[in-house]
Amino acid sequence: MSQFIQDLGKSTRTSFTKLGRSTYFLLQTVSGILSVLLRPRLLLNQMYSVGVLSFLIITISGLFVGMVLGLQGYYTLSDFGAEETLGVMVAASLVRELGPVVSALLFAGRAGSALTAEIGLMKATEQLSGMEMMAVDPVKRIITPRFLAGLISMPLLAGLFSAVGIIGGQVIGSGLLGVDEGAYWSQMQASIDFQDDIINGVIKSVVFGFVTSWIALFEGYDAIPTSEGVSRATTRTVVNSAFSILGLDFILTALMFGDH
Amino acid sequence: MLNSVPSQDNLVSVRNLSFSRGNKKIFDDISLDFQRGKITAIMGPSGTGKTTLLKLIGGQLFPDQGVIHVDGQNVHKLRRTDLYNLRKRLGMLFQSGALLTDMTVYDNVAFPLREHTHLPESMIRTLVLMKLQAVGLRGARNLMPNELSGGMARRVALARAIALDPMMILYDEPFTGQDPISMGVLVHLIKSLNNILGLTSIIVSHDVHDTSAIADYIYVLSEGRIVGQGTPEEIQRSDSEWVQQFMTGAADGPVHFHYPAKDYVDDLMSTGNRY
């Protein structure tokens, strides 16, 4: 019993010190934003590797998710003779939920894990400490541009995901199943609200981008600089990001759509 | 002999330094001096915290006790910007080279210049080529770090370390894992850079032969203490058994061949548990 209490105390302390380290790390990262904006080249390079290289996985997944929504939605809606509203259903699910959430999960797997591994290996090969000795702050030079790139890329990728998904739903809905194309688009236009649906979806994806980039970069920076340490850190990035994304999605949804 | 006021001749002075990691004492109240313009070597077996000492001098780690002065400044009392300004005048050569793997050799050497100066690219080009010429790798400027051999990577790192014309270079195990030719090249480079550029050099190494060939003064560390110091000749003639074992590489002596264990026969005869 006393062993259990000891272990509990120990793990509580460990997780709180880690929380403290990660908060301090975030503050350091954010404090470098101005100096990164003065050197847009650094940011653009990272936008490429974090954002542009995630294009393919996001586009293909978005297409399939939209197509599945088209199929499932049609079967349910046609029972009520409401297949004309397929566009609304597809668009609302994508813009409010699936776009931000699924693209963030994919982003954590594709870009987040790569960031953790990259930073962890830079630490293991003394590149970060080498920079410090060259009087270059590794957080400002390496971490902040990547963080900012993640923050900017995430909403753009989520938007792309939703847009491709809506097209996928349309291809299945009106191409395959015979929903009127005009109804698909006009019902969607009439029902989807810019503020309630689109802006809220964008807010979600900004939050997810923030959290995922933070977790990925911190895990890399905090990794034990061995091959095992880096591999564990990469796993933690994907697992913790997934939990955070899903948990935050619930909280944000409750806050945003609670009063309807 | 060691007074508490840092002398003008010493670029770096370490006073009463103690440092521990977990429960392990890495340094126990040691004092060292590093003279300007000289090559000072710190030697000792692996795991005696030689690299830690360099990180303490560079202000990357904080001592439990004691002070370190570099060029008259107390490293651990400096504000962050002052520490960074001091580091601009130090070059450090990491064991792995620590080259940035996503940049070419050229960009690696240009890195400190681009970060710390506002020189035009044409001037940076001239400087980079001069530094690469000094280490004999001007022709390798377009290679990526993963295309370099270990010795070449270390030479590129050396070119990068001298890019800002530092007053001192810290070498972390520069000879480890080098073939005889690159070893000879590095020994020659360290010696000539020190003399031609008027640098101060600190070499951390366990390579007895090559280090004593170029060092002006040697400290031998073991288990957190200084067990011997002097010029290479004095060290060779040292009457300390420990220093003798280290310099000649004898398998047994004050440093035992066996890791501490219980009695051999008892251990073999005991039955039961696997361990």
Side-chain angles (χ1 to χ4, degrees):
Chain A
M1 186 64 195
S2 77
Q3 182 62 38
F4 170 75
I5 293 172
Q6 264 184 28
D7 289 349
L8 189 72
K10 201 172 164 188
S11 62
T12 313
R13 257 180 60 176
T14 318
S15 35
F16 272 97
T17 38
K18 188 161 181 182
L19 190 66
R21 279 205 307 279
S22 63
T23 310
Y24 180 64
F25 174 80
L26 180 67
L27 292 178
Q28 276 183 301
T29 307
V30 171
S31 76
I33 286 184
L34 197 67
S35 61
V36 171
L37 292 178
L38 295 174
R39 295 175 69 183
R41 182 104 233 132
L42 289 180
L43 180 61
L44 288 180
N45 286 342
Q46 293 312 317
M47 293 270 305
Y48 177 78
S49 64
V50 170
V52 176
L53 293 182
S54 306
F55 247 58
L56 194 65
I57 185 172
I58 293 287
T59 316
I60 293 176
S61 316
L63 188 67
F64 279 115
V65 169
M67 280 159 52
V68 169
L69 279 175
L71 278 177
Q72 295 281 18
Y74 178 82
Y75 294 138
T76 311
L77 292 173
S78 60
D79 285 348
F80 305 97
E83 58 267 32
E84 311 280 75
T85 57
L86 181 67
V88 183
M89 201 218 95
V90 170
S93 348
L94 279 169
V95 172
R96 285 180 176 189
E97 288 297 333
L98 293 173
V101 173
V102 178
S103 61
L105 292 173
L106 293 169
F107 180 80
R110 166 68 185 76
S113 57
L115 283 176
T116 306
E118 186 189 14
I119 306 289
L121 281 173
M122 286 182 95
K123 186 179 181 186
T125 52
E126 295 182 309
Q127 294 183 50
L128 296 182
S129 144
M131 261 187 209
E132 256 177 47
M133 284 305 291
M134 285 188 279
V136 175
D137 185 344
V139 174
K140 288 204 172 97
R141 179 63 173 69
I142 298 292
I143 306 290
T144 309
R146 286 164 172 76
F147 178 75
L148 215 51
L151 201 60
I152 298 172
S153 305
M154 190 66 261
L156 297 176
L157 291 172
L160 178 75
F161 186 96
S162 299
V164 174
I166 289 170
I167 294 171
Q170 194 264 329
V171 166
I172 293 297
S174 31
L176 194 70
L177 303 169
V179 176
D180 181 60
E181 200 178 333
Y184 185 88
W185 294 114
S186 62
Q187 292 270 0
M188 188 191 305
Q189 241 179 5
S191 302
I192 299 294
D193 185 73
F194 183 72
Q195 172 69 40
D196 274 356
D197 299 314
I198 296 177
I199 292 293
N200 279 343
V202 171
I203 293 175
K204 274 187 182 177
S205 62
V206 171
V207 172
F208 298 157
F210 181 94
V211 172
T212 312
S213 314
W214 178 21
I215 291 176
L217 292 166
F218 175 71
E219 288 293 355
Y221 194 75
D222 203 50
I224 300 165
T226 59
S227 10
E228 198 198 359
V230 174
S231 96
R232 281 190 184 183
T234 312
T235 310
R236 275 202 304 273
T237 291
V238 177
V239 174
N240 292 351
S241 301
F243 279 142
S244 316
I245 290 164
L246 296 171
L248 281 169
D249 182 50
F250 174 74
I251 295 172
L252 288 171
T253 307
L255 288 175
M256 288 168 174
F257 304 105
D259 52 349
H260 277 246
Chain B
M1 155 195 151
L2 296 170
N3 50 15
S4 58
V5 183
S7 147
Q8 275 303 311
D9 293 344
N10 297 329
L11 186 58
V12 180
S13 80
V14 175
R15 286 290 167 276
N16 309 105
L17 177 77
S18 295
F19 182 81
S20 45
R21 192 166 269 159
N23 289 327
K24 191 171 184 266
K25 262 212 151 119
I26 311 268
F27 299 118
D28 186 10
D29 195 25
I30 61 167
S31 296
L32 311 103
D33 285 306
F34 300 91
Q35 272 190 26
R36 274 178 210 275
K38 301 282 194 217
I39 300 178
T40 308
I42 301 169
M43 304 179 75
S46 316
T48 37
K50 302 189 296 294
T51 307
T52 310
L53 184 63
L54 293 186
K55 292 197 164 174
L56 283 161
I57 293 175
Q60 286 192 304
L61 293 173
F62 278 79
D64 299 338
Q65 256 174 43
V67 283
I68 297 176
H69 282 93
V70 177
D71 200 25
Q73 293 174 290
N74 183 342
V75 177
H76 299 98
K77 285 270 162 64
L78 288 178
R79 297 214 331 267
R80 195 177 156 81
T81 42
D82 295 330
L83 178 63
Y84 270 44
N85 281 329
L86 176 65
R87 281 184 188 163
K88 284 179 201 166
R89 300 193 289 144
L90 306 180
M92 177 145 173
L93 189 73
F94 283 84
Q95 197 172 346
S96 58
L99 295 176
L100 303 170
T101 40
D102 56 346
M103 296 180 188
T104 61
V105 164
Y106 180 95
D107 290 326
N108 261 290
V109 179
F111 181 81
L113 295 164
R114 288 183 179 144
E115 291 291 321
H116 294 310
T117 68
H118 296 285
L119 295 174
E121 273 302 308
S122 60
M123 180 96 75
I124 287 182
R125 183 186 134 89
T126 312
L127 285 169
V128 169
L129 294 186
M130 281 167 68
K131 306 296 175 188
L132 282 173
Q133 174 73 10
V135 298
L137 290 176
R138 190 165 44 85
R141 73 185 98 151
N142 291 325
L143 297 181
M144 295 301 283
N146 60 9
E147 297 170 296
L148 302 173
S149 71
M152 284 163 85
R154 236 167 265 188
R155 278 150 72 190
V156 174
L158 189 52
R160 185 178 67 175
I162 57 172
L164 290 171
D165 294 318
M167 58 179 178
M168 171 166 79
I169 302 189
L170 312 169
Y171 297 92
D172 185 6
E173 301 280 8
F175 308 124
T176 307
Q178 299 295 311
D179 63 70
I181 298 176
S182 17
M183 181 96 111
V185 170
L186 278 167
V187 169
H188 169 75
L189 266 176
I190 293 174
K191 183 80 182 165
S192 58
L193 282 177
N194 197 76
N195 295 346
I196 295 167
L197 302 179
L199 298 169
T200 304
S201 307
I202 302 180
I203 303 178
V204 146
S205 176
H206 50 234
D207 187 277
V208 171
H209 179 74
D210 289 280
T211 311
S212 5
I214 55 169
D216 296 303
Y217 201 82
I218 296 177
Y219 287 99
V220 185
L221 295 184
S222 171
E223 298 185 352
R225 299 186 155 275
I226 299 170
V227 292
Q229 57 176 297
T231 60
E233 296 76 36
E234 286 167 0
I235 291 282
Q236 289 291 351
R237 281 185 275 107
S238 163
D239 46 10
S240 152
E241 264 183 71
W242 198 99
V243 173
Q244 281 307 328
Q245 189 194 353
F246 183 72
M247 299 304 277
T248 56
D252 214 347
V255 179
H256 295 295
F257 170 69
H258 290 288
Y259 192 84
K262 60 181 163 177
D263 187 74
Y264 186 39
V265 175
D266 287 352
D267 213 359
L268 286 178
M269 290 312 185
S270 67
T271 50
N273 289 333
R274 228 174 112 213
Y275 300 108

